[in-house]
Amino acid sequence: MAAAGADGLSLVNTIHGLAFDTATRCPKLALGVGGYSGPALRPIALACVYACAQAVALPIVGMGGVTSGDDVLDFLAAGASAVALGTILFSDPLAPSRIRAELDSARTPTAVVSGQEIHGLARKSDSRHVLSAE
Ligand SMILES: Cc1cc2nc3c(=O)[nH]c(=O)nc-3n(C[C@H](O)[C@H](O)[C@H](O)COP(=O)(O)O)c2cc1C
Protein backbone atom coordinates (compact mmCIF):
# COMPACT_ATOMS: atom_id res chain seq x y z
CA MET A 1 0.00 0.00 0.00
CA ALA A 2 2.82 2.39 0.81
CA ALA A 3 4.40 1.45 -2.52
CA ALA A 4 1.14 2.48 -4.20
CA GLY A 5 1.41 5.91 -2.58
CA ALA A 6 -0.78 5.59 0.50
CA ASP A 7 0.22 7.88 3.38
CA GLY A 8 -1.94 5.97 5.87
CA LEU A 9 -5.02 3.84 6.37
CA SER A 10 -8.46 4.79 7.67
CA LEU A 11 -10.20 1.78 9.25
CA VAL A 12 -13.12 1.00 9.23
CA ASN A 13 -16.10 2.34 7.35
CA THR A 14 -19.63 1.16 8.06
CA ILE A 15 -20.61 -2.39 7.13
CA HIS A 16 -23.86 -3.27 5.34
CA GLY A 17 -26.86 -3.73 7.62
CA LEU A 18 -30.50 -4.52 6.95
CA ALA A 19 -33.57 -3.93 9.11
CA PHE A 20 -37.19 -4.78 8.33
CA ASP A 21 -40.37 -2.98 9.24
CA THR A 22 -42.28 -5.39 11.49
CA ALA A 23 -45.67 -4.67 9.85
CA THR A 24 -44.65 -4.94 6.20
CA ARG A 25 -41.46 -7.05 6.44
CA CYS A 26 -40.02 -4.64 3.91
CA PRO A 27 -36.65 -2.97 4.41
CA LYS A 28 -36.91 0.12 6.62
CA LEU A 29 -34.48 2.03 4.43
CA ALA A 30 -35.49 3.14 0.96
CA LEU A 31 -32.36 1.60 -0.57
CA GLY A 32 -32.69 -1.65 1.39
CA VAL A 33 -29.33 -2.12 3.05
CA GLY A 34 -27.54 0.78 4.71
CA GLY A 35 -24.38 1.58 6.62
CA TYR A 36 -24.26 -0.04 10.06
CA SER A 37 -22.17 1.88 12.59
CA GLY A 38 -21.81 2.44 16.32
CA PRO A 39 -20.71 0.25 19.25
CA ALA A 40 -21.64 -3.07 17.62
CA LEU A 41 -19.02 -2.30 14.98
CA ARG A 42 -16.18 -1.86 17.47
CA PRO A 43 -14.90 -5.46 17.77
CA ILE A 44 -14.88 -5.77 13.98
CA ALA A 45 -13.02 -2.47 13.66
CA LEU A 46 -10.49 -3.46 16.33
CA ALA A 47 -9.81 -6.74 14.55
CA CYS A 48 -9.23 -4.89 11.25
CA VAL A 49 -6.86 -2.37 12.85
CA TYR A 50 -5.03 -5.15 14.67
CA ALA A 51 -4.58 -7.19 11.47
CA CYS A 52 -3.54 -4.25 9.30
CA ALA A 53 -1.11 -2.86 11.88
CA GLN A 54 0.79 -6.11 11.66
CA ALA A 55 0.78 -6.06 7.87
CA VAL A 56 1.81 -2.46 7.15
CA ALA A 57 3.99 0.22 8.73
CA LEU A 58 1.65 3.04 7.66
CA PRO A 59 -0.13 5.11 10.32
CA ILE A 60 -3.71 3.96 10.91
CA VAL A 61 -6.71 6.08 11.89
CA GLY A 62 -8.99 3.70 13.80
CA MET A 63 -12.74 4.19 14.02
CA GLY A 64 -15.91 2.22 14.52
CA GLY A 65 -18.05 2.42 17.63
CA VAL A 66 -15.77 4.61 19.72
CA THR A 67 -17.75 6.03 22.65
CA SER A 68 -15.23 6.41 25.47
CA GLY A 69 -11.63 6.94 26.46
CA ASP A 70 -11.33 3.22 27.11
CA ASP A 71 -12.38 2.56 23.53
CA VAL A 72 -9.67 4.94 22.30
CA LEU A 73 -7.04 3.07 24.32
CA ASP A 74 -8.21 -0.20 22.76
CA PHE A 75 -7.70 1.20 19.27
CA LEU A 76 -4.25 2.56 20.17
CA ALA A 77 -3.28 -0.80 21.66
CA ALA A 78 -4.49 -2.53 18.49
CA GLY A 79 -2.11 -0.37 16.47
CA ALA A 80 -3.95 2.83 15.55
CA SER A 81 -2.01 6.10 15.61
CA ALA A 82 -5.14 8.21 15.83
CA VAL A 83 -8.81 7.57 16.55
CA ALA A 84 -11.92 9.12 14.98
CA LEU A 85 -15.42 9.60 16.32
CA GLY A 86 -18.54 9.17 14.20
CA THR A 87 -21.93 7.93 15.36
CA ILE A 88 -21.39 8.93 19.00
CA LEU A 89 -21.52 12.58 17.91
CA PHE A 90 -25.25 12.25 17.16
CA SER A 91 -26.12 11.30 20.73
CA ASP A 92 -23.30 13.15 22.49
CA PRO A 93 -22.01 16.18 20.56
CA LEU A 94 -19.59 16.92 23.41
CA ALA A 95 -18.01 13.47 23.15
CA PRO A 96 -14.61 14.79 21.96
CA SER A 97 -14.00 16.81 25.13
CA ARG A 98 -15.55 14.13 27.36
CA ILE A 99 -13.34 11.44 25.85
CA ARG A 100 -10.24 13.64 26.21
CA ALA A 101 -11.05 13.98 29.92
CA GLU A 102 -11.61 10.23 30.21
CA LEU A 103 -8.23 9.59 28.62
CA ASP A 104 -6.59 11.77 31.24
CA SER A 105 -7.91 9.51 33.99
CA ALA A 106 -8.10 6.23 32.10
CA ARG A 107 -6.86 2.94 33.42
CA THR A 108 -3.73 2.01 31.51
CA PRO A 109 -1.48 -1.01 31.75
CA THR A 110 0.90 -0.54 34.66
CA ALA A 111 3.93 -0.41 32.37
CA VAL A 112 2.42 2.29 30.18
CA VAL A 113 3.15 5.90 31.03
CA SER A 114 2.34 7.67 27.77
CA GLY A 115 0.04 7.48 24.79
CA GLN A 116 3.00 6.58 22.61
CA GLU A 117 3.83 3.59 24.75
CA ILE A 118 0.38 2.09 24.40
CA HIS A 119 0.55 2.32 20.61
CA GLY A 120 0.53 -1.22 19.24
CA LEU A 121 0.79 -2.71 22.72
CA ALA A 122 -1.50 -5.62 21.85
CA ARG A 123 1.01 -7.01 19.38
CA LYS A 124 4.10 -6.41 21.49
CA SER A 125 3.21 -9.09 23.99
CA ASP A 126 1.37 -12.39 23.94
CA SER A 127 0.58 -12.21 27.63
CA ARG A 128 -2.45 -10.53 29.16
CA HIS A 129 -1.88 -6.97 30.32
CA VAL A 130 -2.18 -6.16 33.99
CA LEU A 131 -4.32 -3.09 34.52
CA SER A 132 -3.75 -0.69 37.36
CA ALA A 133 -6.64 0.18 39.64
CA GLU A 134 -6.45 3.90 38.78
C1 LIG B 1 -24.05 9.66 8.93
C2 LIG B 1 -22.74 9.05 8.50
C3 LIG B 1 -22.12 9.53 7.35
C4 LIG B 1 -20.90 8.97 6.94
N1 LIG B 1 -20.30 9.45 5.80
C5 LIG B 1 -19.15 8.90 5.36
C6 LIG B 1 -18.53 9.38 4.17
O1 LIG B 1 -19.02 10.29 3.50
N2 LIG B 1 -17.38 8.79 3.75
C7 LIG B 1 -16.79 7.76 4.47
O2 LIG B 1 -15.76 7.26 4.06
N3 LIG B 1 -17.36 7.30 5.63
C8 LIG B 1 -18.51 7.85 6.08
N4 LIG B 1 -19.09 7.38 7.24
C9 LIG B 1 -18.43 6.31 8.00
C10 LIG B 1 -17.69 6.87 9.23
O3 LIG B 1 -16.61 7.69 8.82
C11 LIG B 1 -17.14 5.74 10.11
O4 LIG B 1 -16.17 5.03 9.38
C12 LIG B 1 -18.20 4.76 10.58
O5 LIG B 1 -19.42 5.42 10.86
C13 LIG B 1 -17.76 3.95 11.80
O6 LIG B 1 -17.50 4.80 12.89
P1 LIG B 1 -18.61 5.11 14.03
O7 LIG B 1 -19.14 3.78 14.51
O8 LIG B 1 -17.86 5.88 15.07
O9 LIG B 1 -19.67 5.93 13.37
C14 LIG B 1 -20.30 7.92 7.68
C15 LIG B 1 -20.95 7.47 8.84
C16 LIG B 1 -22.15 8.00 9.25
C17 LIG B 1 -22.83 7.45 10.50
Side-chain angles (χ1 to χ4, degrees):
M1 289 184 201
D7 294 318
L9 302 180
S10 179
L11 303 168
V12 297
N13 209 312
T14 55
I15 59 174
H16 280 175
L18 177 61
F20 290 98
D21 180 274
T22 51
T24 65
R25 297 298 165 194
C26 290
K28 283 185 172 181
L29 298 177
L31 295 178
V33 299
Y36 191 66
S37 64
L41 190 57
R42 195 165 57 245
I44 298 166
L46 284 168
C48 287
V49 170
Y50 185 67
C52 289
Q54 293 175 74
V56 300
L58 294 167
I60 296 172
V61 181
M63 69 194 81
V66 175
T67 65
S68 69
D70 248 0
D71 296 342
V72 170
L73 292 176
D74 280 349
F75 273 90
L76 295 179
S81 298
V83 175
L85 307 179
T87 301
I88 184 63
L89 298 171
F90 289 102
S91 59
D92 181 6
L94 299 180
S97 55
R98 173 179 60 76
I99 289 174
R100 279 180 189 276
E102 289 173 3
L103 283 171
D104 286 340
S105 58
R107 292 190 317 162
T108 55
T110 48
V112 174
V113 295
S114 74
Q116 283 187 331
E117 288 186 14
I118 201 168
H119 174 67
L121 183 69
R123 65 191 161 108
K124 288 177 185 154
S125 168
D126 291 329
S127 60
R128 293 175 65 90
H129 310 300
V130 179
L131 298 181
S132 64
E134 300 178 338

